[in-house]
Amino acid sequence: MGLPALALLLAAGLLHTQASPLARSFQLDYEHNCFRKNGAPFRYISGSIHYARVPRPAWRDRLLKMYMSGLNTVQVYIPWNYHETLPGVYDFTGNRDVEAFLDLTAELGLLVILRPGPYICAEWEMGGLPAWLLWKPDIILRTSDPAYLAAVDSWLHVLLPKIKPRLYHQGGNIISVQVENEYGSYYACDSGYLRHLLGSFRALLGSEVLLFTTDSTRAEELCCGTLQGLYATIDFGPGSNVTEAFGAQRRVEPKGPLVNSEYYTGWLDYWGEAHASTSAAWVAQGLQDMLQLGASINMQVVSWQRAQPPGEWASPLAFIPLGSGQQGLYMFHGGTNFAYWSGADYKGQYKPVTTSYDYDAPLSEAGDPTEKLFAIRTVISKFQPLPAGPMPPATPKYAYGWVALRKHADLLDVLDVLCPSGPIQSQFPLTFEALKQVHGFVVYHTQLPWDVPDPATLGAPPHSICDRGYVMLQKEYQGTLERDGQTTLRVTGRAGDTLDILMENMGRISFGANTSDFKGLLANLSLNTRPLSNWLIYPLGIDTAVQQGWPHAALPKSNSKGQVGPAFYTGTFETPGIAWDTFVEFPGWSKGLLWINGFNLGRYWTCRGPQQTLFVPGSVLYAGRPNNITVLELEGAPPTPLLLFLDRPLYNRTLGCSTTATE
C-alpha cells in the first residue's frame, strides 16, 4: 500500500478515535474529591425542571432562560406513572415525549443529571409510582416483593434503552443517573431491592455511567439508602451545620466530591396553608458562598469540590443561613400540576399539594424571570462568563376579563354520559383500585334501608374517607366528608331515599412511610352505627367525555336546580387574534376542576387557598375562534357563575371552607 493511502487510512482512524463516544467521560475523582469531565476537573451549575409540569410548546423557552441564566446543566425527573398509564400501555407522545425533551437540552448545550426513579417523590402523584400497582392490594412497594420487581423490571426495560444513547460517554449529554430516591427514609430498608436496581441499571446502561443515591444526613437513613456501587449523596436544608452534614456523608463516602442533592430556592404549597416564599437575597448570598468554596451547584444537587487538604473542612460560618425550614436552591422552574398529577405529603395528617408548583422559583410558574433569577445570574457572572445575549423576556399575558358561565347539569343527572358502561354492583364499597380507577371521581349509590325521621349520624370509620366525599340525599347536597377532617353528617329521610357519595381522589401520598395510598371508600358507611349495603358504584370517566366534546355538544339538563352540590358549568370566550398565557380566578366558587378546550388545567379550591388562580398556557387556547370552558364545581357555585381571566396569579387568601351545605 502506498504511503499516501496509508496516511489517509491512519488519518481516518485517528478522526474516528477522536469522535468516538468512548473518548468522552464523566467520572468521580476520589483522589482529588471532584468530578472530572473528559479527564479535566469540572464544575457544573445546574437547575431542576420537570418536563411533565411544563407544556411542550414552552420547553424551549424555559430551557433557554435557564441556559441564559448561566446554568450549564439541568436536572430532570422521569415519572413512571406519567408514561406507563396502564400495565404495558406506554405514552411517550406530545407532552410526554421525554426523548424530545432530552434532545432539546442537548441542542441548547445543556448537560443533564437524570433521576428516573422508579420512585421520584417530587410531590408528584404517588411519587411517580403507577397507581395500578395497587390493583394487587397486598403488593409491598419499593421492596424485593416479586410482584413489584416484575413491574419495575418491565418498565426499566422500556425506559433505559431510550436513555442509554444519550449518556455522556455514548456521545449524549446525560452525565449522571440517580437510582431510586431518598430510599433511606422509607420504612422497608430492603438492601436486596437496591442491589436489584443496581444490577438492572448496570445491565441496561453499562458500567461507565455514574450512578448515585440521595438521602438525609441521619445515620439510619444513610445506612438503609446507600449501597456499594452507588455513589452516596446527601440532602439538607439551609441552617444546617454544614460540617456535621458533610461529616455524615464522609462516614459512607470517605472520598469523592461532597454532594448535597437537594437545596432549595423556595418551597411547595399545600392547600390550606400560606403561600411559601424565600428571599432572593438569601438565595443569592448562599449561592455565592458555595461558589467561593469551589462548589459545583446544580440548584438541586450541589457537588462540593473541596480544595482544602484532607481533614480540613469549611467552617459552617461560611454558609449564611437562609432562614428556617426547607429553603435554598430547589427548584429553578417549578411549573404546574395539571390534571390529577399533584401528590400529597403525610406529616401527621394528609397534606395535598396545590395545582401550582410555582415553588417561588427563579423562573415563575408561567416561566417568567424573577428578581431571584437575576440575583442568581449576577452571582454566577462573578465566577464564569454568562452566555452572550439578553435574557428572554417574560411571556406575554392577557387579562381576557369576565366570562359568564351557565349551569349545564347536576353531576348525578349525567351518570349515563360519565359512566357509559354502567355501575358495578357490590354488597359493600370498593376502592378506586379495586375498580381499576386511577384518578378522578367515583360515585357510590345506595338507598336508605329504613325511615330516619330524626337526625341520624351518617359516618365512616377513621381513615376510610380517601380523600373527600360529597354527600347527596335524594340528589340534595348534604355536605362533605373529609380525610383527617369531618367524617360524620346528620341526615333524615325515608326508606328508599337515594344516598349518593361522590368520592374525590386528591392525589396519592408522594412522600412518607405509606405510599400505598388507596382511594375511595375504604370501609363501609353506617347510619347510627348500622352498616349500609347494596351499593351501585360508578367509576367516572369525566376527562374522556370532555375530550370528546361533552358537554358543549349536548343540551343542558332542564331539571338542573340550584347552585349547591356537584355540577357542571359551561361557557365560551374568544382571544383577540392571538392566544396568550393567562390566569383564571374563581370569585365566589368553592372547589372543583377546570377544562379549557378539553385540557384539564387542574384543581381550584378558592375558599381554602392559598392558590386563587389557575395558570392557563396560551398553547391550550384557540386564536380567532371560541374556547370552550367546562367547570366541575363540587360544593357550591356563586349565584351568578362568572370567571375572571387575569394577567397575573393570586395567592395568600387562606380562608378555610365549611364542609356543610349552604345556600
Side-chain angles (χ1 to χ4, degrees), residues 48-70:
S48 293
I49 179 173
H50 301 160
Y51 65 92
R53 288 179 161 125
V54 182
R56 181 170 180 167
W59 286 352
R60 180 179 293 272
D61 173 79
R62 308 305 192 260
L63 289 169
L64 182 58
K65 286 170 179 170
M66 296 174 78
Y67 175 79
M68 294 304 295
S69 298

Side-chain angles (χ1 to χ4, degrees), residues 249-305:
Q249 185 189 0
R250 277 290 174 250
R251 283 190 285 274
V252 291
E253 291 289 359
K255 294 287 187 178
L258 297 172
V259 181
N260 177 352
S261 288
E262 294 185 6
Y263 203 75
Y264 308 100
T265 59
W267 196 240
L268 63 141
D269 286 340
Y270 301 109
W271 291 114
E273 298 186 8
H275 176 54
S277 63
T278 307
S279 162
W282 286 348
V283 173
Q285 183 63 64
L287 174 61
Q288 179 163 313
D289 292 340
M290 289 183 278
L291 289 175
Q292 284 174 336
L293 290 175
S296 290
I297 312 295
N298 108 35
M299 303 297 168
Q300 182 171 7
V301 175
V302 182
S303 103
W304 301 72
Q305 297 179 11

Side-chain angles (χ1 to χ4, degrees), residues 384-404:
Q384 64 183 42
L386 295 174
M391 171 65 64
T395 56
K397 311 294 187 304
Y398 197 85
Y400 296 103
W402 293 96
V403 176

Side-chain angles (χ1 to χ4, degrees), residues 395-463:
T395 56
K397 311 294 187 304
Y398 197 85
Y400 296 103
W402 293 96
V403 176
L405 273 60
R406 66 173 180 174
K407 186 173 181 180
H408 178 84
D410 290 305
L411 181 140
L412 292 180
D413 290 337
V414 289
L415 292 181
D416 58 331
V417 175
L418 305 179
C419 185
S421 61
I424 297 167
Q425 298 185 37
S426 178
Q427 183 73 2
F428 299 109
L430 301 173
T431 66
F432 276 45
E433 292 71 27
L435 298 165
K436 293 183 167 51
Q437 177 85 348
V438 176
H439 304 296
F441 299 86
V442 169
V443 169
Y444 297 79
H445 170 91
T446 190
Q447 296 177 326
L448 296 185
W450 56 81
D451 289 341
V452 187
D454 299 317
T457 299
L458 177 70
H463 315 299

Side-chain angles (χ1 to χ4, degrees), residues 490-506:
R490 302 285 281 175
V491 299
T492 61
R494 295 184 177 183
D497 283 356
T498 58
L499 175 67
D500 293 275
I501 299 93
L502 173 67
M503 291 299 303
E504 178 186 12
N505 168 7
M506 281 291 294

Side-chain angles (χ1 to χ4, degrees), residues 91-330:
D91 189 349
F92 291 96
T93 64
N95 291 329
R96 292 172 165 86
D97 192 342
V98 62
E99 292 179 278
F101 181 83
L102 293 172
D103 291 344
L104 183 56
T105 64
E107 177 188 330
L108 294 174
L110 290 161
L111 299 170
V112 170
I113 298 166
L114 198 68
R115 303 176 85 176
Y119 165 83
I120 63 170
C121 184
E123 290 78 52
W124 187 261
E125 153 77 10
M126 204 165 151
L129 299 180
W132 50 257
L133 291 170
L134 301 178
W135 294 359
K136 186 180 186 332
D138 59 348
I139 195 169
I140 308 175
L141 302 175
R142 302 176 70 191
T143 70
S144 299
D145 179 348
Y148 177 69
L149 289 185
V152 168
D153 287 345
S154 176
W155 163 241
L156 293 180
H157 276 78
V158 170
L159 175 66
L160 295 186
K162 300 177 184 294
I163 302 307
K164 186 174 182 178
R166 294 171 169 85
L167 297 175
Y168 186 79
H169 67 275
Q170 293 281 351
N173 64 328
I174 299 173
I175 57 175
S176 61
V177 178
Q178 179 174 287
V179 175
E180 244 273 353
N181 184 52
E182 296 177 324
Y183 188 66
S185 66
Y186 195 57
Y187 76 94
C189 195
D190 184 346
S191 59
Y193 168 55
L194 288 183
R195 282 194 296 270
H196 182 93
L197 288 182
L198 173 58
S200 297
F201 275 70
R202 284 293 178 214
L204 293 167
L205 295 182
S207 61
E208 292 193 44
V209 61
L210 171 58
L211 301 178
F212 69 97
T213 61
T214 302
D215 288 285
S216 84
T217 60
R218 297 176 58 191
E220 59 270 30
E221 294 190 16
L222 285 167
C223 176
C224 290
T226 59
L227 187 72
Q228 186 175 2
L230 296 171
Y231 190 70
T233 76
I234 58 172
D235 54 27
F236 59 88
S240 300
N241 184 310
V242 176
T243 302
E244 291 181 2
F246 283 127
Q249 185 189 0
R250 277 290 174 250
R251 283 190 285 274
V252 291
E253 291 289 359
K255 294 287 187 178
L258 297 172
V259 181
N260 177 352
S261 288
E262 294 185 6
Y263 203 75
Y264 308 100
T265 59
W267 196 240
L268 63 141
D269 286 340
Y270 301 109
W271 291 114
E273 298 186 8
H275 176 54
S277 63
T278 307
S279 162
W282 286 348
V283 173
Q285 183 63 64
L287 174 61
Q288 179 163 313
D289 292 340
M290 289 183 278
L291 289 175
Q292 284 174 336
L293 290 175
S296 290
I297 312 295
N298 108 35
M299 303 297 168
Q300 182 171 7
V301 175
V302 182
S303 103
W304 301 72
Q305 297 179 11
R306 180 165 55 84
Q308 296 94 330
E312 296 184 20
W313 302 91
S315 167
L317 297 178
F319 297 85
I320 297 178
L322 307 184
S324 61
Q326 300 283 354
Q327 303 168 357
L329 297 174
Y330 167 104

